[in-house]
Amino acid sequence: MNDTLEAEPAVYFTEENSEEAVIARMRSDCDPRLRTVMSAAIRHLHAFVKEIEPTDAEWGATIEFLTRTGQISTDWRQEYILLSDILGVSMLVDAINNRKPSGATETTVLGPFHVADVPRLELGANLCLDGKGEPIFIEGRITSANGTPIAGALIDVWQCNDEGFYDVQQADVQPPMNLRGMFETDEDGNFWFRSVKPRYYPIPTDGPVGKLLQAMGRHPYRPAHVHFIVSAPGYRSVTTHLFVPDCPYLGSDAVFGVKESLIAQINMTEPSARSLAAGLDSAHWHLKYDFVLVPQE
Amino acid sequence: MNDTLEAEPAVYFTEENSEEAVIARMRSDCDPRLRTVMSAAIRHLHAFVKEIEPTDAEWGATIEFLTRTGQISTDWRQEYILLSDILGVSMLVDAINNRKPSGATETTVLGPFHVADVPRLELGANLCLDGKGEPIFIEGRITSANGTPIAGALIDVWQCNDEGFYDVQQADVQPPMNLRGMFETDEDGNFWFRSVKPRYYPIPTDGPVGKLLQAMGRHPYRPAHVHFIVSAPGYRSVTTHLFVPDCPYLGSDAVFGVKESLIAQINMTEPSARSLAAGLDSAHWHLKYDFVLVPQE
């Protein structure tokens, strides 16, 4: 029993006052940020329910969907992140947290396939350990917004293979750390390495989120891309992708990760001095992209 | 590959166009109701995220909360219904689906403790099988809105005991079907039976929803009540509670189930002819409540 509760005037819940009745129940001394977040959650959730007026059966199906989305998640599968991804919320949270001056390299979602402690490789090394796929030479420069090259910047790269699978998805087929590596820019801010052209691939479709996607008439594909995390002391890290321009899913990424500035130019070229030195002695794909970092706040 | 996808003009996701970019991705030929519901869900969800501007860590904690809420749910524990309950959404869905003419008995949530196939009892029977608690005599009449008594109406009753536990929560302590029963009204629409005064009780507090409730500075108690489902051929069934008026949590039900019209009058009275015939031979609690049903649509 709590004396302060007895003293509260009773405001009973009605369809009309529903948001206010629920929000008013929070104690004034609870964490201010939680109070702000939960007040907003309650207002938007009630507005949604009032707009769609679900039947009991529809609300029951919603409860069931939310429950199964939690239950199918494991240490290595996160179906709620997938739900956040396909509803554009992951990209929205990314956008909100990475507003930057014009000219800085734009961000996109991390995705579930990043691995920590990848091998540090020499510039020019080949990420592809099994020789499968069409060779591509990737190079560029890391600079600050005014064009100053950033020496010693780190470039963490990972991608799927020519069939659309990451090494961690095919531990029995691909060598460990296939198509992953960490490079450091030279004194002029340059980086260069060998890899293979990645393929588009589907997000998991065997769970509740895949079924929802199908019911909405949407395909599950992510357009072909290479992941990057670029970091340097004193600068804000950039987590992003570069997209292959000739992919049919570029305009309809299942997780909304594509930004126009992240669509790379890829050409078939003759070997350059650098790509030849890296072992590419005939025509190959070539991707050049410069990353622009902004100072840490 | 899909020709129609290639023909779509690319509209890339931005913070500004986020709702439209996601909604536009639904195919026009998907189920119209799903399209309406998902469009509303996307709009309200994005508006919520834009309002609170979560950090990456906050969004991660939200994903984690939603995941654990699914994972703690089992065949006998439904933490997402509990979440819906404490945010007032269950009562809102109940209100939306049970709009009724003034004068009809109001509804409230079913709750998780209803059991099917309870025993049919004679009028005057005692629901309390273990003799624990303060005796109460409950009686009333079932009528239509114009006062016509409804003979043969069914009254499905269940409640917790004097310590706040339902039989199904204490299978090792309470007899099966303790404080449950089904009655049928007599030719004048009357019902009457014996029971014991119920106690307030907490909703489960050991899961993510209980922790959220605590963080919001809210207590977990439901005020003392007796559950009823009243049904009769040709009439809409009413799922509701009657609340004990002297309970300290009446103004702050953790699931917002209280409506003013459902707070019963309870008095200590001398035995009446009926309560005496039911075996109550000294002063006892007395609750009288008439239910008003409306025709099925």
Side-chain angles (χ1 to χ4, degrees):
Chain A
M1 305 280 168
N2 186 322
D3 285 340
T4 61
L5 289 172
E6 294 191 68
E8 280 171 7
V11 179
Y12 297 113
F13 181 101
T14 66
E15 186 175 343
E16 291 69 34
N17 78 2
S18 70
E19 296 92 338
E20 295 83 349
V22 179
I23 290 170
R25 204 64 78 65
M26 267 186 284
R27 293 286 269 267
S28 53
D29 59 352
C30 81
D31 176 77
R33 177 61 177 159
L34 182 78
R35 191 179 169 79
T36 301
V37 169
M38 289 310 301
S39 296
I42 291 161
R43 269 188 287 105
H44 289 284
L45 184 57
H46 283 232
F48 166 64
V49 170
K50 286 178 180 187
E51 181 177 333
I52 66 163
E53 299 200 342
T55 63
D56 290 329
E58 285 176 336
W59 195 244
T62 306
I63 294 282
E64 182 58 22
F65 172 82
L66 296 171
T67 305
R68 281 184 295 120
T69 299
Q71 290 181 334
I72 206 173
S73 297
T74 63
D75 285 347
W76 47 269
R77 174 179 186 155
Q78 230 306 351
E79 193 84 354
Y80 263 107
I81 292 183
L82 202 63
L83 182 59
S84 171
D85 290 348
I86 68 142
L87 297 180
V89 179
S90 303
M91 277 302 290
L92 183 56
V93 173
D94 183 75
I96 287 168
N97 286 283
N98 292 285
R99 292 173 188 137
K100 283 181 185 170
S102 158
T105 299
E106 292 193 284
T107 56
T108 190
V109 285
L110 177 67
F113 299 117
H114 182 250
V115 164
D117 301 322
V118 291
R120 285 283 280 269
L121 302 175
E122 295 297 313
L123 290 167
N126 190 356
L127 294 188
C128 178
L129 305 180
D130 62 5
K132 280 180 79 267
E134 299 174 39
I136 188 167
F137 191 71
I138 299 178
E139 63 182 326
R141 189 178 234 196
I142 317 288
T143 70
S144 65
N146 64 11
T148 310
I150 304 175
L154 289 176
I155 301 134
D156 188 352
V157 194
W158 68 105
Q159 65 166 73
C160 69
N161 70 5
D162 62 322
E163 296 181 26
F165 295 102
Y166 290 83
D167 58 350
V168 291
Q169 296 177 290
Q170 287 193 317
D172 51 344
V173 173
Q174 295 187 43
M177 298 290 172
N178 193 33
L179 298 168
R180 297 180 187 276
M182 178 86 82
F183 298 95
E184 192 178 326
T185 52
D186 70 7
E187 66 273 21
D188 296 319
N190 292 310
F191 66 91
W192 62 96
F193 60 88
R194 280 178 62 176
S195 189
V196 292
K197 211 179 160 198
R199 189 178 177 266
Y200 60 85
Y201 58 83
I203 59 170
T205 56
D206 59 335
V209 172
K211 286 181 183 64
L212 174 64
L213 206 58
Q214 187 176 36
M216 290 193 288
R218 287 172 48 182
H219 70 72
Y221 292 102
R222 298 219 59 208
H225 59 273
V226 179
H227 292 265
F228 290 85
I229 299 176
V230 180
S231 59
Y235 293 89
R236 290 178 64 182
S237 294
V238 171
T239 298
T240 196
H241 310 352
L242 295 181
F243 291 91
V244 173
D246 61 352
C247 182
Y249 299 111
L250 205 57
S252 59
D253 184 353
V255 311
F256 303 95
V258 180
K259 293 178 179 177
E260 205 135 18
S261 70
L262 301 175
I263 302 172
Q265 296 305 314
I266 295 187
N267 307 300
M268 182 61 74
T269 60
E270 290 305 313
S272 63
R274 265 192 191 147
S275 68
L276 196 60
L280 288 166
D281 55 9
S282 59
H284 58 77
W285 294 105
H286 179 242
L287 184 164
K288 187 170 189 317
Y289 195 90
D290 296 332
F291 293 88
V292 178
L293 303 188
V294 294
Q296 209 137 36
E297 275 139 27
Chain B
M1 307 280 163
N2 187 323
D3 285 341
T4 62
L5 290 172
E6 294 190 67
E8 280 171 6
V11 178
Y12 298 113
F13 182 100
T14 65
E15 186 175 342
E16 292 68 34
N17 78 2
S18 71
E19 297 91 339
E20 295 82 350
V22 179
I23 290 170
R25 205 65 77 66
M26 266 185 286
R27 292 286 269 266
S28 54
D29 59 352
C30 82
D31 176 77
R33 177 61 176 160
L34 181 78
R35 191 179 169 79
T36 301
V37 169
M38 289 310 301
S39 297
I42 292 160
R43 269 189 287 105
H44 288 286
L45 184 57
H46 283 232
F48 165 65
V49 170
K50 286 178 180 188
E51 181 177 332
I52 64 162
E53 299 201 341
T55 63
D56 290 327
E58 286 176 336
W59 194 244
T62 305
I63 294 281
E64 182 59 24
F65 171 83
L66 296 171
T67 304
R68 281 184 294 119
T69 299
Q71 290 181 334
I72 206 173
S73 297
T74 62
D75 286 347
W76 48 269
R77 174 180 188 156
Q78 230 307 350
E79 193 84 353
Y80 262 107
I81 292 182
L82 203 63
L83 181 60
S84 171
D85 290 348
I86 68 143
L87 297 180
V89 179
S90 302
M91 276 303 290
L92 182 56
V93 172
D94 183 74
I96 287 167
N97 285 283
N98 291 285
R99 292 174 188 138
K100 281 181 186 172
S102 158
T105 299
E106 291 192 283
T107 56
T108 190
V109 285
L110 176 68
F113 298 118
H114 182 250
V115 164
D117 301 323
V118 292
R120 284 284 280 269
L121 303 175
E122 294 297 312
L123 289 167
N126 190 355
L127 294 188
C128 179
L129 305 181
D130 62 7
K132 280 180 79 266
E134 300 174 38
I136 188 168
F137 191 70
I138 298 177
E139 62 183 327
R141 189 178 235 196
I142 317 289
T143 70
S144 65
N146 64 11
T148 310
I150 304 175
L154 289 177
I155 301 133
D156 187 351
V157 194
W158 69 105
Q159 65 166 75
C160 69
N161 70 5
D162 62 323
E163 296 181 26
F165 293 103
Y166 291 83
D167 58 350
V168 292
Q169 295 176 289
Q170 287 193 317
D172 50 345
V173 173
Q174 296 186 42
M177 296 292 171
N178 193 33
L179 298 168
R180 297 179 187 276
M182 178 86 83
F183 298 95
E184 191 177 327
T185 52
D186 71 6
E187 66 273 22
D188 296 319
N190 294 310
F191 66 90
W192 62 95
F193 60 88
R194 280 178 63 176
S195 190
V196 292
K197 211 178 160 198
R199 188 177 177 268
Y200 60 85
Y201 58 83
I203 59 170
T205 56
D206 60 336
V209 172
K211 287 182 183 64
L212 175 64
L213 206 58
Q214 187 176 35
M216 289 193 289
R218 287 173 49 181
H219 70 72
Y221 292 102
R222 297 219 59 208
H225 58 273
V226 180
H227 290 265
F228 290 84
I229 298 176
V230 180
S231 59
Y235 293 89
R236 290 178 65 182
S237 294
V238 171
T239 298
T240 196
H241 310 352
L242 296 181
F243 291 91
V244 173
D246 61 353
C247 181
Y249 299 111
L250 205 56
S252 59
D253 184 353
V255 310
F256 304 95
V258 180
K259 294 178 178 176
E260 205 135 18
S261 70
L262 301 175
I263 302 172
Q265 296 306 313
I266 295 186
N267 307 300
M268 182 60 76
T269 59
E270 291 305 314
S272 63
R274 265 191 193 148
S275 70
L276 197 59
L280 288 166
D281 55 9
S282 59
H284 58 78
W285 294 105
H286 179 242
L287 184 164
K288 186 171 189 315
Y289 194 91
D290 296 331
F291 293 88
V292 178
L293 303 188
V294 294
Q296 210 136 36
E297 276 139 27

